[in-house]
Amino acid sequence: MDTPTPPGPAEPPAAPSLADVVDHLESVHPLRWAQPWDAVGLVCGDPAQPVRRVLLAVDPVEAVVDEALERGADLLLVHHPLLLRPVSSVAATTPKGRLVHRLVRAGCALYVAHTNADAGGPGVSDALARVLDLDDLEPLEPLPQEPDRPDLGIGRVGRLAAPERLADFAARVAEALPETEQGVRVAGDPDAPVQRVAVCGGSGDSLFERVRASGADVFVTADLRHHPASEARERAAFEGGGEAGTPHLVDVAHWASEWPWLAGAADRLVAAVAASGRTVDAHVSTTRTDPWTARVPSRGE
């Protein structure tokens, strides 16, 4: 009597192709949502290559490329463009060209989701709002290309469950975001109550008028410049605050304000690939790519 041969180990699920991953990314954050000046989409990579490992990061800098290659990533998914301005060469004689060559030689694709991810729902500012425990979110600046999608647009405004002192809210922000040398800067009365909160991941001082119109008590964003911030606070003092006045300001590091988006993007990618019967490993980089590396306390601090 023949003994039946035991079944061999099950074949692992197939990896998606780069084209499949790009299709998912562009279904969540279509390229048409990007600002006209932006450079988003696939930068390098063979659409037919399998994607087993993905590294997600904010910045396509050398330390992140090192991490991607050390992890054996087939795709580096970043928020900020590597080649934002047009170039005539990607020769390895330039810093950015060298990164392109390293990625291509290692078989690691590079994909950018920038202002199309800012405008998405969920997008970059959604993620920032969620880690600050804001509810009832709506865009600060709706996306004109999608009038039937009121959840899309730049920035978000929402509410805390209960009012907090501005100082306590700033501490909440510092606790929720990754550590940077800048930390969290605040403009306003530390004891002022805040509950309605506007946020914008990345540079947000172009949205001051939108924030004022939203009735927010405080605005959380990055890269606030001296003159716009000073003028906003002077205007608030002149108008006596309240709903018509400019809100208090909480300024954080640009990288830190956008980093929370990565975890959700990774989860959505893994789930979409799993729904097609395949598998991919997505890892969020914790490499701090904020350019500031040290802080010297002010005199008397």
Side-chain angles (χ1 to χ4, degrees), residues 153-172:
I154 302 299
R156 294 293 185 271
V157 60
R159 297 181 68 83
L160 295 165
E164 296 181 3
R165 293 171 60 247
L166 176 60
D168 295 332
F169 175 73
R172 174 197 290 271

Side-chain angles (χ1 to χ4, degrees), residues 38-51:
D38 205 0
V40 298
L42 187 62
V43 178
C44 63
D46 180 350
Q49 75 184 64
V51 175

Side-chain angles (χ1 to χ4, degrees), residues 49-297:
Q49 75 184 64
V51 175
R52 299 178 182 85
R53 298 183 185 89
V54 180
L55 180 69
L56 293 90
V58 174
D59 297 296
V61 295
E62 187 167 19
V64 168
V65 171
D66 288 344
E67 183 180 359
L69 301 192
E70 288 168 3
R71 290 182 175 276
D74 305 299
L75 170 63
L76 176 56
L77 169 57
V78 295
H79 183 50
H80 290 150
L82 176 66
L83 305 172
L84 181 58
R85 295 176 178 83
V87 298
S88 59
S89 169
V90 289
T93 52
T94 66
K96 293 184 177 182
R98 183 173 63 183
L99 294 184
V100 172
H101 277 256
R102 290 186 64 198
L103 291 167
V104 170
R105 282 198 300 267
C108 182
L110 177 64
Y111 188 92
V112 174
H114 189 213
T115 53
N116 53 329
D118 289 334
V124 171
S125 291
D126 283 301
L128 177 57
R130 297 298 183 192
V131 299
L132 299 181
D133 296 325
L134 302 184
D135 295 317
D136 304 324
L137 299 180
E138 56 189 55
L140 275 172
E141 186 174 73
L143 192 65
Q145 301 97 307
E146 302 285 350
D148 297 329
R149 290 285 306 276
D151 59 317
L152 302 179
I154 302 299
R156 294 293 185 271
V157 60
R159 297 181 68 83
L160 295 165
E164 296 181 3
R165 293 171 60 247
L166 176 60
D168 295 332
F169 175 73
R172 174 197 290 271
V173 175
E175 180 68 24
L177 297 182
E179 180 183 358
T180 61
E181 292 302 328
Q182 171 184 319
V184 174
R185 302 189 299 176
V186 181
D189 178 358
D191 293 321
V194 298
Q195 184 170 21
R196 187 160 172 81
V197 180
V199 304
C200 179
S203 304
D205 60 14
S206 65
L207 294 173
F208 271 139
E209 291 305 316
R210 292 278 185 177
V211 173
R212 284 168 48 79
S214 76
D217 303 309
V218 61
F219 181 32
V220 182
T221 190
D223 298 340
L224 287 178
R225 295 169 293 161
H226 172 86
H227 292 294
S230 177
E231 290 169 5
R233 298 308 305 151
E234 289 294 300
R235 183 171 181 176
F238 177 77
E239 295 176 347
E243 290 191 1
T246 300
H248 305 295
L249 305 176
V250 173
D251 182 53
V252 302
H254 191 121
W255 167 79
S257 72
E258 295 176 327
W259 186 84
W261 171 73
L262 301 176
D267 290 344
R268 288 186 290 274
L269 174 58
V270 169
V273 170
S276 67
R278 289 165 293 178
T279 184
V280 68
D281 174 60
H283 179 82
V284 172
S285 173
T286 57
T287 300
R288 189 171 78 175
T289 55
D290 182 66
W292 308 110
T293 58
R295 176 179 176 272
V296 179

